[in-house]
Amino acid sequence: MQPKVQSNLWKSTEGRERLAGWYDHFLKKVDLPIDRVVVKTSIGESGLLIVGDEEAPPLVCLHGMRTGAAFLLSEITALAVSFRLYVPDIPGQSVIGPDVRMPVSDHAHANWLKDVIDELSLASVHLFGVSWGGYVARLMATAYPDRILSLSMLCPAGVVNGSHLTGLAKMMWPLIRHKLRPTERSLRTLLAPIMTTWDDDWAGAFDCALHHLKMDARVPPLATDHDLRELEMPMLVMAGEEDISFPGEELISRVRRLVPDADTELIENCKHCPPTTDAFRSWLATRVSDFVQQPTIEMK
């Protein structure tokens, strides 16, 4: 059965074209040969970007909400030294791909991702997800654990949630002000609680999505204790110390309690959107590579 989906994510064709322009802008930042591939899934054709040596271990990387594969790939190209990177565009969260809004009340995202992996003829993969992509990665690991060699997540959704009141106080009123009178100053005020380092490109893309994507206030449901305890593959969880969306200390604490063998990292001075600096990109690539390439995983 195909999942029930809601279409029409965009406010206008012009808005979608502007978002596609930002996608292309981030794609140009990737200084590597890129294969753009389209695969068939149960909800329609899905696109993905592929970089790295064909003989390297496969690492499927999942981007955050309201962005796309090009955005994430521009931040993680250093991982292509060690892996063959497969970066799909998540339906409903990217300007590229099916114009659908996936349900979050079932395994629809996991079934879609399984279709992608099947179409790539990959028996099993390493999995890395950021924010919303972390939720999709965890869901895939729960639904199809035999296909996942290791699970790495950065500031993942679906493990803990921040205070609703804190979110309203820090984001809602600046959002209203920015929509009524958009300026660079109002945009900086809006993004200050979630961006660790200011980045003109990321801020511009976010602003574009804010004005041209239809609002989707859904938050992925939290994984149950049972869901987390059942994750037996090697797991790395990294969280931001100052993340108001998914508070880092609380997130790490829950993972350590339910998955004692998990490798965890609380990143100091990090908000929900990690630093967009060469130093952080290098650190992240090393952290994930060292975790995935440890002998216990390679021998699996």
Side-chain angles (χ1 to χ4, degrees):
M1 276 181 70
Q2 292 188 2
K4 294 180 180 179
V5 295
Q6 178 184 345
S7 62
N8 302 318
L9 302 175
W10 322 101
K11 293 181 179 179
S12 67
T13 301
E14 178 188 3
R16 182 167 191 168
E17 290 174 352
R18 289 187 180 183
L19 284 164
W22 276 109
Y23 189 100
D24 291 340
H25 178 78
F26 275 84
L27 196 59
K28 290 175 182 176
K29 294 185 173 193
V30 181
D31 190 21
L32 292 171
I34 303 173
D35 291 329
R36 299 191 72 165
V37 177
V38 175
V39 296
K40 294 180 179 179
T41 75
S42 59
I43 62 167
E45 292 186 337
S46 285
L48 67 154
L49 307 175
I50 305 175
V51 302
D53 187 344
E54 292 183 14
E55 301 302 318
L59 178 64
V60 175
C61 305
L62 299 166
H63 61 82
M65 69 182 300
R66 305 166 78 91
T67 59
F71 296 78
L72 177 59
L73 185 56
S74 72
E75 298 291 334
I76 62 168
T77 53
L79 281 167
V81 173
S82 304
F83 305 101
R84 175 78 161 170
L85 303 183
Y86 298 86
V87 193
D89 285 284
I90 301 174
Q93 299 298 339
S94 171
V95 69
I96 305 298
D99 182 14
V100 298
R101 183 158 288 159
M102 300 285 284
V104 294
S105 57
D106 56 24
H107 284 175
H109 282 90
N111 295 335
W112 159 79
L113 185 55
K114 178 182 178 294
D115 289 344
V116 172
I117 294 172
D118 286 345
E119 285 293 307
L120 295 169
S121 299
L122 297 172
S124 56
V125 300
H126 299 283
L127 201 51
F128 170 63
V130 180
S131 189
W132 187 284
Y135 153 71
V136 178
R138 197 282 306 166
L139 202 64
M140 177 70 188
T142 293
Y144 302 102
D146 58 314
R147 306 294 296 276
I148 307 304
L149 297 170
S150 70
L151 173 62
S152 302
M153 298 181 288
L154 173 63
C155 301
V159 180
V160 299
N161 286 329
S163 164
H164 202 57
L165 289 176
T166 299
L168 284 173
K170 292 192 174 184
M171 297 291 295
M172 185 55 67
W173 306 128
L175 174 61
I176 293 172
R177 287 196 299 268
H178 181 65
K179 282 202 166 187
L180 290 174
R181 180 176 287 185
T183 65
E184 181 179 341
R185 181 178 179 181
S186 66
L187 182 61
R188 284 180 176 269
T189 301
L190 171 62
L191 298 181
I194 62 172
M195 290 184 72
T196 306
T197 54
W198 180 259
D199 184 286
D200 287 336
D201 287 342
W202 276 98
F206 181 89
D207 194 30
C208 186
L210 183 66
H211 286 93
H212 297 294
L213 269 177
K214 289 183 178 179
M215 185 66 177
D216 182 6
R218 298 176 303 163
V219 176
L222 298 184
T224 66
D225 287 0
H226 177 267
D227 287 338
L228 294 177
R229 287 194 179 103
E230 289 294 302
L231 295 174
E232 297 183 350
M233 70 285 296
M235 183 164 65
L236 168 64
V237 181
M238 298 164 284
E241 181 184 36
E242 300 176 12
D243 188 343
I244 64 170
S245 301
F246 314 122
E249 290 188 4
E250 184 180 345
L251 194 155
I252 294 298
S253 177
R254 186 176 187 219
V255 170
R256 286 175 175 169
R257 176 170 59 86
L258 298 173
V259 193
D261 291 336
D263 188 350
T264 57
E265 180 95 34
L266 183 63
I267 307 171
E268 294 182 355
N269 305 314
C270 180
K271 300 177 183 178
H272 182 63
C273 301
T276 52
T277 63
D278 288 340
F280 182 81
R281 294 178 188 117
S282 177
W283 175 86
L284 179 64
T286 299
R287 188 70 172 86
V288 174
S289 296
D290 288 350
F291 167 74
V292 173
Q293 294 178 326
Q294 58 186 310
T296 55
I297 296 179
E298 291 180 339
M299 293 172 60
K300 184 175 178 180

